[in-house]
Amino acid sequence: MEARLTDAIRASHDGQEAADILRSCVHCGFCTATCPTYQLLGDELDGPRGRIYLIKQVLEGDTPTASTQLHLDRCLTCRACETTCPSGVQFGRLLDIGRRVVDEQVARPFTQRIFRSLLATGLTGPLFAPALRVARTLGLQPPRVGPGQWPTRTHARKMLLLSGCVQPAMAPNINAATARVLDALGIQVHVATGSGCCGAIRHHLTQQQGALADVRRNIDAWWPHVEAGVEAIMINASGCSTMVSEYGHLLRDDPAYAHKALRISALARDLSELLPQHAESLAAITRHAGATRVAYHAPCSLQHGLKVRGLVEKLLMGMGAQLLPVAEGHLCCGSAGTYTLLQPQISRKLGQSKVRALMAPRPDVILSANIGCLAQIAKGADVPVQHWIEWVDARITDRG
């Protein structure tokens, strides 16, 4: 697809990248078959191909409207279209560019601006955890399992763990379970002081400078550990893993951080990538309490963003899980970060469809790999919903 970008756009790095991405698209339409919003709404402009045309028109100088903005807002950024595309179109990166350009030209209503600003600061700030505790006390949010004990043993192998923002407040046991399982494998986990949100929340709200500030803060917090020889930066929320893998790209034009950002992205490992490498060791210390009927939901950020497929499933089966078939496993659950709050009707319908598919084979437990997916699925499931590392942690015998 050829594009005649405006001179100003073409001269920028974003414009050059957008032109390359647009050139790779042959508008075949295969992507529409796996786009959740197109399948739900049936509107060409709410599918990848239609959104690509909208972005192309804006980059060529057409004036965007509130309707343009809405169609781009409705995208989940699930990137299922990238998995489907035979031409390798990097739709996620094109969407980021398109959203930024449109938001620069289309002023959002005052209430939208306030709400989006509150999401960006509230979800990533220090007040989120106490606010959530109050909500749970009042019965507005279901209680979660406490974090349990953090391991105290020391090991020669050391890794950093992204502390995150929403996950430690909503499900504190996930980080602790991660540390316990890695401890059983002889790996010591540290959480670097000063690290926090990966930047994805602000990034997807098109608050670019705020997102880059989050990225630089994490790099600053991690860098002394990197220089000391830490083996990897471990991330147990696949949405965050996808974001950290992009640090090198996001800061490619920053002379002070470009090299460091590339190094951080190279060290970043999603737990779903690393732990299956230790499948035999985990199987050896598993308490075989009989097979558990497990329905596993692979988050979009894992299977479409990081292109990691089948590894967790194989690990779970090796530890005694009876992995159940789940229909339409490639489709998004509708969580997508802040999407549940910004596009609640679409999100709810997608969530209901996902829960029906996961519950159909009658599982004992539903497992996933991202905090947003866990929260979304738990709204409608009538069986326990856990991060898969919590399930693994409960089945191993090595507690030190």
Side-chain angles (χ1 to χ4, degrees):
M1 180 186 296
E2 292 299 325
R4 297 179 177 85
L5 307 188
T6 65
D7 291 341
I9 291 290
R10 190 171 57 251
S12 68
H13 283 180
D14 276 354
Q16 294 167 16
E17 182 177 23
D20 290 340
I21 296 171
L22 288 169
R23 196 174 298 115
S24 67
C25 177
V26 296
H27 47 271
C28 63
F30 286 180
C31 53
T32 59
T34 56
C35 175
T37 50
Y38 178 78
Q39 295 300 313
L40 190 63
L41 302 173
D43 188 332
E44 175 75 8
L45 297 180
D46 285 314
R49 183 170 59 181
R51 292 182 178 117
I52 287 173
Y53 274 111
L54 288 175
I55 294 169
K56 175 178 177 290
Q57 290 171 346
V58 172
L59 298 181
E60 289 179 330
D62 287 4
T63 303
T65 65
S67 177
T68 309
Q69 193 175 57
L70 176 61
H71 289 301
L72 299 187
D73 282 349
R74 282 178 178 165
C75 178
L76 292 141
T77 324
C78 70
R79 295 168 67 172
C81 55
E82 293 187 11
T83 298
T84 310
C85 180
S87 302
V89 175
Q90 293 183 302
F91 177 77
R93 288 187 176 177
L94 180 65
L95 181 69
D96 287 340
I97 295 168
R99 279 174 167 168
R100 287 199 296 271
V101 174
V102 169
D103 279 8
E104 288 170 0
Q105 300 182 50
V106 180
R108 293 182 181 274
F110 177 74
T111 53
Q112 269 194 40
R113 296 200 302 272
I114 293 297
F115 186 48
R116 291 167 73 92
S117 179
L118 288 173
L119 288 178
T121 56
L123 293 177
T124 63
L127 296 179
F128 179 70
L132 189 61
R133 286 196 293 271
V134 171
R136 284 174 173 159
T137 301
L138 297 176
L140 302 177
Q141 284 285 329
R144 287 287 299 187
V145 176
Q149 186 175 3
W150 194 276
T152 58
R153 298 190 297 189
T154 59
H155 301 286
R157 296 183 65 187
K158 301 183 189 301
M159 295 184 183
L160 289 174
L161 179 67
L162 172 71
S163 58
C165 51
V166 171
Q167 180 173 282
M170 293 186 67
N173 189 48
I174 295 175
N175 281 358
T178 300
R180 289 192 293 267
V181 173
L182 290 175
D183 173 67
L185 294 170
I187 301 171
Q188 188 176 353
V189 170
H190 295 278
V191 176
T193 302
S195 65
C197 177
C198 66
I201 289 177
R202 289 186 174 88
H203 181 71
H204 292 301
L205 288 168
T206 62
Q207 296 188 11
Q208 186 70 1
Q209 294 310 309
L212 293 181
D214 288 337
V215 171
R216 293 186 182 101
R217 182 206 59 230
N218 283 339
I219 293 175
D220 288 340
W222 292 335
W223 196 248
H225 299 273
V226 171
E227 290 186 313
V230 72
E231 185 176 330
I233 299 169
M234 181 56 49
I235 309 167
N236 53 20
S238 58
C240 299
S241 297
T242 304
M243 180 68 181
V244 178
S245 73
E246 293 284 322
Y247 276 15
H249 177 76
L250 292 169
L251 290 178
R252 64 195 184 279
D253 296 328
D254 186 328
Y257 282 89
H259 169 71
K260 292 181 179 180
L262 281 172
R263 177 67 175 145
I264 294 296
S265 290
L267 284 171
R269 293 289 184 276
D270 189 87
L271 192 62
S272 301
E273 297 175 284
L274 182 133
L275 214 58
Q277 298 174 14
H278 300 274
E280 291 185 7
S281 299
L282 287 171
I285 58 173
T286 296
R287 288 186 288 111
H288 292 285
T292 302
R293 293 173 59 83
V294 171
Y296 175 70
H297 167 66
C300 298
S301 46
L302 188 65
Q303 59 173 316
H304 305 309
L306 296 173
K307 313 297 185 189
V308 175
R309 305 183 189 96
L311 298 182
V312 173
E313 296 91 322
K314 186 177 179 180
L315 173 65
L316 297 176
M317 289 188 291
M319 296 184 69
Q322 180 187 351
L323 209 63
L324 305 173
V326 176
E328 297 187 329
H330 62 286
L331 289 180
C332 184
C333 70
S335 171
T338 57
Y339 196 91
T340 52
L341 300 170
L342 295 171
Q343 303 291 334
Q345 292 182 336
I346 298 174
S347 175
R348 183 168 54 252
K349 290 178 180 178
L350 292 173
Q352 290 168 347
S353 295
K354 181 58 65 176
V355 169
R356 283 195 299 270
L358 288 165
M359 290 298 300
R362 302 177 65 183
D364 298 323
V365 63
I366 296 173
L367 304 180
S368 191
N370 193 56
I371 184 61
C373 303
L374 294 170
Q376 176 81 330
I377 294 165
K379 294 175 187 175
D382 55 10
V383 299
V385 180
Q386 297 178 304
H387 193 291
W388 65 270
I389 195 63
E390 296 179 283
W391 185 89
V392 169
D393 176 51
R395 292 178 70 85
I396 63 175
T397 54
D398 185 351
R399 297 293 179 205

